[in-house]
Amino acid sequence: MGNLLPLISSHPGGRSALTCRYRCGDACFQEIPNTSDNEYVGDVIAGALSRRSMMRAAAVVTVAAAAGTTVLAGPAAPQAEAAALAGHGHTPDRPTTPAASGARGLRFAPVAPNKDDKVTVPDGYGQNVVIRWGDPILRGAPAFDPDKQSAKAQAGQFGYNNDFLSLLPLRGEHGRQVLVANHEYTDENLMFHGYDPANPTREQVEIAWAAHGLSVVVVQDESRTGKLAPVSRHPLNRRLTATSEFKVTGPAAGSPLLRTSADSTGRKVLGTLNNCAGGTTPWGTTLHGEENFNQYFANGSSDTDKRYGIAAGATERKWERFDKRFDLAQEPNEAHRFGWVVELDPYDPDATPRKRTALGRFKHEAAQPRLTADGRPVVYMGDDERFDYFYKFVSSKKMKKGNSRAAREHNLTLLDEGTLYVARLTGDSPAAEFDGTGKLPSDGEFDGSGVWIPLATGNTSHVPGMTAEEVYVFTRLAGDKVGATKMDRPEDVEPSPRTGRVYVVLTNNTDRGKPGKAGADEANPRNLNKHGQILELAEYGDDPAGDGFAWRLFLVAGDPNDPATYFSGFPKEKVSPISCPDNVAFDPHGNLWISTDGNQLGSHDGLFGVATQGERRGELKQFLTVPSGAETCGPVVQDRRVLVAVQHPGEIDGASVEKPASSWPDGPGRIVRPSVVAVWRKDGRDIGV
């Protein structure tokens, strides 16, 4: 075995202490919120062998449909299942010349791991910064001046720490698209000169409120290159902040659990917080997941506060000093109004965004829909916490096609009615085969079956002892009660538009296998899991509304020289090292693109493409790296352009405005600014072909 690459930090997931502090309120150093006695995957594996043939027989219809083949049940079913989940039912991509090696869409020279303070892209590719924190996008907003910041100015400028990105078509305006971005959180010590974390000023707090939220900005394509530039003051441009009005919809709207002294109806909320990843709907809206909202609220005291990670005492940012709604001792229900999926119509700058209670309340990393055969949306979602769960929502309404006003109004109700489910997984190998090292079981793969457990449908609860409103507001507790499977931080969950297979990104869990904590199992095969894995799920019968699925691990991340890593059987000497997968997206060829957060392999985070089908399935290549202290977010992969959100550059322990740890994107002597970057081929051809 070759030498493993060195670790860069003892902090969980490779993050700096500064990142842990501002991004998630030191979640990894708090007690794990999930104290339920649910069975872990490893606890239910021992008796799974007798169920294995049943699982395979049920899954064969699903995986055959996913692979585009016809398979008959019988003695060949196990082989057919494996072949279909591996994509062997497809014609493989074959390189035409040695210079064009790689799956179609991934034919580029991989970027080497590095620690350079810049965005590094493959040879033959160009890049530009599309938009930076503070760039004006609304009419009347001033140019960014780090020494003259104000809340009013920031409310008209691009927000801080861009995460999820969506790029939507704009009819009737040649060469223009609509860019939608999440702004997850703020790094006050990297934003303000002389920032005193013990005594923030009201102006600093109000600027931070305005820097959170969402941005909508029209961008212009430069025809000779792949450059994008913002169209400032376009009528569709918009900023939503921590003080903008949002509407609460769905079955929990109006619940007493959502009412406060400022809103006796339980239907109107000021602001959206900690928007991480999201999704783009088939009907032209965007979805935004409120993730680590717990860190903004002080003086948590109830058991439900504790289950959501809300601590007793003051918060890091001290917002409760300036608005009582952030003090749960005064407004105990305010935190219940966050942790939802927000739906935004980027084509209507006057529409009030909606918090969709039917999709449940937890630390939403993302929400990406697909449609059933009869046109009902199904949304897959992860709860980004150690030992928490992943979910899906199946709408009871069918999408209407077209752009008529009636169709758009109807489609804006699709996510308010349906059934919310949580996942329970079972492995198919003996528990004794999982010793925490990540060694493959004797059957040669990490795989098994699963069921979707219904939690609530409309105003009907399926969880004994909980009302429907309680299920939606305290969804984590509902998952505890029905025995959902505890996972290694489920983050982005994305269905493939080509095959329907669903990819569940499990970023890491350094607590697995510690004394008193769950040990390794088939879905989470490594103790002290620093690097994470990606699970591939195939719904039975290729029916996203169904109640069962087959699963297998698609990728076990880390240094390819480490025998614990796995790349779907692709030769490991031919792949790039990858650690801590986070957000994912699909390209037009069906490849999965993975952005990383907290790389534990001694180099910077980056963006990777991996083939999901054919003989090159598992071939993984690094496409770019980001600057010092930064995380790669929000990938969008089009035919001729890749977009990434470079989040929190310079977020390294000890850094400040006065002592920056990065000079990106504008060079020495300029303040560090999170930004969106576009990458394209210099010869004008499609990415990776």
Side-chain angles (χ1 to χ4, degrees):
M1 182 179 73
N3 293 329
L4 302 186
L5 296 173
L7 301 181
I8 61 172
S9 170
S10 59
H11 243 251
R15 291 175 173 174
S16 70
L18 193 61
T19 301
C20 291
R21 177 175 160 193
Y22 281 109
R23 180 180 187 169
C24 58
D26 282 327
C28 290
F29 292 96
Q30 311 301 327
E31 287 298 316
I32 293 172
N34 191 349
T35 59
S36 69
D37 58 359
N38 289 4
E39 292 178 305
Y40 297 96
V41 177
D43 297 331
V44 297
I45 285 175
L49 285 176
S50 63
R51 298 190 295 271
R52 185 170 185 177
S53 60
M54 295 173 58
M55 180 276 295
R56 280 178 163 160
V60 68
V61 179
T62 298
V63 296
T69 61
T70 300
V71 182
L72 299 178
Q79 291 82 358
E81 175 200 349
L85 267 173
H88 291 165
H90 293 269
T91 302
D93 290 307
R94 300 183 187 277
T96 56
T97 67
S101 64
R104 185 170 179 80
L106 301 178
R107 294 171 188 164
F108 53 81
V111 169
N114 64 74
K115 299 179 73 173
D116 297 335
D117 189 28
K118 63 180 182 178
V119 174
T120 303
V121 299
D123 291 341
Y125 285 76
Q127 60 172 293
N128 82 296
V129 174
V130 178
I131 191 167
R132 300 162 170 80
W133 162 52
D135 285 349
I137 63 174
L138 300 187
R139 191 176 303 277
F144 178 69
D145 185 339
D147 298 318
K148 296 181 180 179
Q149 296 185 60
S150 70
K152 181 180 179 180
Q154 176 65 84
Q157 298 166 335
F158 194 68
Y160 199 82
N161 269 344
N162 32 226
D163 196 299
F164 168 74
L165 302 175
S166 182
L167 204 53
L168 300 167
L170 185 56
R171 295 181 179 180
E173 298 192 31
H174 180 70
R176 290 183 173 180
Q177 300 177 79
V178 181
L179 175 67
V180 184
N182 281 0
H183 301 294
E184 186 175 2
Y185 68 102
T186 46
D187 283 299
E188 282 78 354
N189 61 312
L190 301 182
M191 296 170 66
F192 306 123
H193 288 282
Y195 180 70
D196 180 0
N199 294 288
T201 67
R202 171 171 285 278
E203 183 69 10
Q204 289 169 337
V205 167
E206 291 183 351
I207 292 169
W209 290 345
H212 278 71
L214 314 172
S215 287
V216 179
V217 56
V218 172
V219 291
Q220 177 72 52
D221 190 350
E222 183 180 285
S223 59
R224 292 175 298 172
T225 70
K227 288 183 180 179
L228 287 176
V231 180
S232 61
R233 301 168 180 82
H234 190 281
L236 289 183
N237 290 2
R238 192 176 186 187
R239 279 300 323 281
L240 285 307
T241 74
T243 58
S244 301
E245 183 176 323
F246 289 74
K247 183 187 301 183
V248 182
T249 68
S255 166
L257 294 169
L258 299 180
R259 298 174 190 169
T260 66
S261 64
D263 171 34
S264 61
T265 70
R267 296 177 181 272
K268 183 175 71 175
V269 177
L270 292 184
T272 183
L273 298 172
N274 212 264
N275 297 93
C276 195
T280 304
T281 70
W283 52 94
T285 63
T286 52
L287 304 179
H288 309 267
E290 296 182 317
E291 192 187 16
N292 293 300
F293 64 91
N294 56 298
Q295 65 176 299
Y296 301 95
F297 295 97
N299 301 318
S301 59
S302 68
D303 289 340
T304 54
D305 288 344
K306 187 177 297 184
R307 182 63 181 89
Y308 279 83
I310 300 172
T315 66
E316 172 66 38
R317 292 179 177 82
K318 312 295 190 294
W319 288 3
E320 64 273 17
R321 295 181 182 176
F322 304 96
D323 189 333
K324 71 173 186 176
R325 69 188 178 116
F326 296 108
D327 182 356
L328 298 189
Q330 299 186 67
E331 291 287 358
N333 284 349
E334 185 68 29
H336 301 166
R337 294 145 66 85
F338 296 85
W340 304 102
V341 170
V342 175
E343 184 170 12
L344 170 71
D345 184 353
Y347 296 107
D348 184 353
D350 298 318
T352 302
R354 309 175 190 205
K355 297 195 177 189
R356 302 297 194 185
T357 62
L359 276 62
R361 174 176 166 265
F362 43 87
K363 289 187 177 182
H364 284 278
E365 170 75 17
Q368 181 56 50
R370 63 183 290 204
L371 297 177
T372 62
D374 63 356
R376 290 175 294 138
V378 176
V379 184
Y380 295 93
M381 303 169 288
D383 186 350
D384 184 9
E385 189 83 70
R386 295 163 295 164
F387 302 114
D388 253 295
Y389 316 132
F390 67 92
Y391 302 80
K392 77 173 179 181
F393 167 81
V394 180
S395 178
S396 60
K397 291 185 174 183
K398 300 176 183 179
M399 187 186 88
K400 288 186 177 180
K401 297 181 180 180
N403 270 324
S404 69
R405 180 175 179 179
R408 292 189 66 79
E409 289 180 353
H410 169 81
N411 291 338
L412 285 171
T413 69
L414 294 175
L415 301 184
D416 283 338
E417 296 180 20
T419 300
L420 180 65
Y421 298 85
V422 69
R424 180 191 292 156
L425 282 71
T426 302
D428 67 359
S429 297
E433 294 195 13
F434 303 100
D435 59 4
T437 66
K439 179 182 176 181
L440 280 170
S442 57
D443 69 356
E445 60 188 5
F446 305 106
D447 63 344
S449 62
V451 295
W452 293 110
I453 305 170
L455 299 177
T457 303
N459 294 319
T460 301
S461 170
H462 304 300
V463 182
M466 295 184 75
T467 66
E469 289 180 359
E470 290 169 338
V471 168
Y472 296 119
V473 177
F474 305 124
T475 310
R476 283 184 167 180
L477 277 74
D480 296 344
K481 282 180 172 288
V482 300
T485 298
K486 298 180 178 181
M487 304 296 288
D488 285 351
R489 287 186 57 204
E491 295 218 21
D492 209 346
V493 185
E494 296 265 344
S496 167
R498 283 199 165 196
T499 67
R501 279 166 278 172
V502 180
Y503 293 81
V504 183
V505 180
L506 304 163
T507 294
N508 54 48
N509 184 354
T510 53
D511 273 15
R512 188 167 290 276
K514 286 184 177 179
K517 307 288 174 62
D521 55 49
E522 192 151 4
N524 306 278
R526 291 180 296 189
N527 288 335
L528 307 178
N529 179 13
K530 298 188 291 262
H531 302 300
Q533 64 264 14
I534 297 178
L535 181 145
E536 183 182 52
L537 179 158
E539 299 269 23
Y540 290 162
D542 196 28
D543 178 10
D547 58 5
F549 54 89
W551 65 267
R552 66 184 294 177
L553 290 189
F554 170 70
L555 184 151
V556 180
D559 184 345
N561 291 320
D562 184 344
T565 57
Y566 175 71
F567 297 84
S568 289
F570 195 82
K572 295 200 289 184
E573 68 274 11
K574 298 181 179 180
V575 302
S576 297
I578 184 173
S579 176
C580 300
D582 190 344
N583 299 144
V584 292
F586 287 91
D587 69 15
H589 311 286
N591 302 308
L592 184 69
W593 289 64
I594 308 165
S595 62
T596 65
D597 171 20
N599 180 9
Q600 280 264 353
L601 293 174
S603 57
H604 287 175
D605 279 313
L607 180 65
F608 302 75
V610 60
T612 62
Q613 306 169 60
E615 66 180 12
R616 292 187 178 274
R617 173 180 160 90
E619 178 183 38
L620 181 136
K621 292 183 174 183
Q622 183 155 10
F623 182 75
L624 61 74
T625 55
V626 293
S628 300
E631 170 193 348
T632 323
C633 295
V636 175
V637 187
Q638 299 179 318
D639 286 319
R640 297 195 173 186
R641 182 183 293 108
V642 172
L643 242 65
V644 291
V646 179
Q647 193 187 79
H648 58 74
E651 194 177 63
I652 294 174
D653 297 346
S656 64
V657 172
E658 293 77 17
K659 297 187 297 181
S662 171
S663 60
W664 190 85
D666 297 319
R670 308 288 292 276
I671 195 167
V672 178
R673 296 167 73 180
S675 305
V676 176
V677 173
V679 182
W680 65 90
R681 273 176 68 156
K682 292 179 179 178
D683 62 9
R685 298 180 64 196
D686 286 359
I687 300 292
V689 301

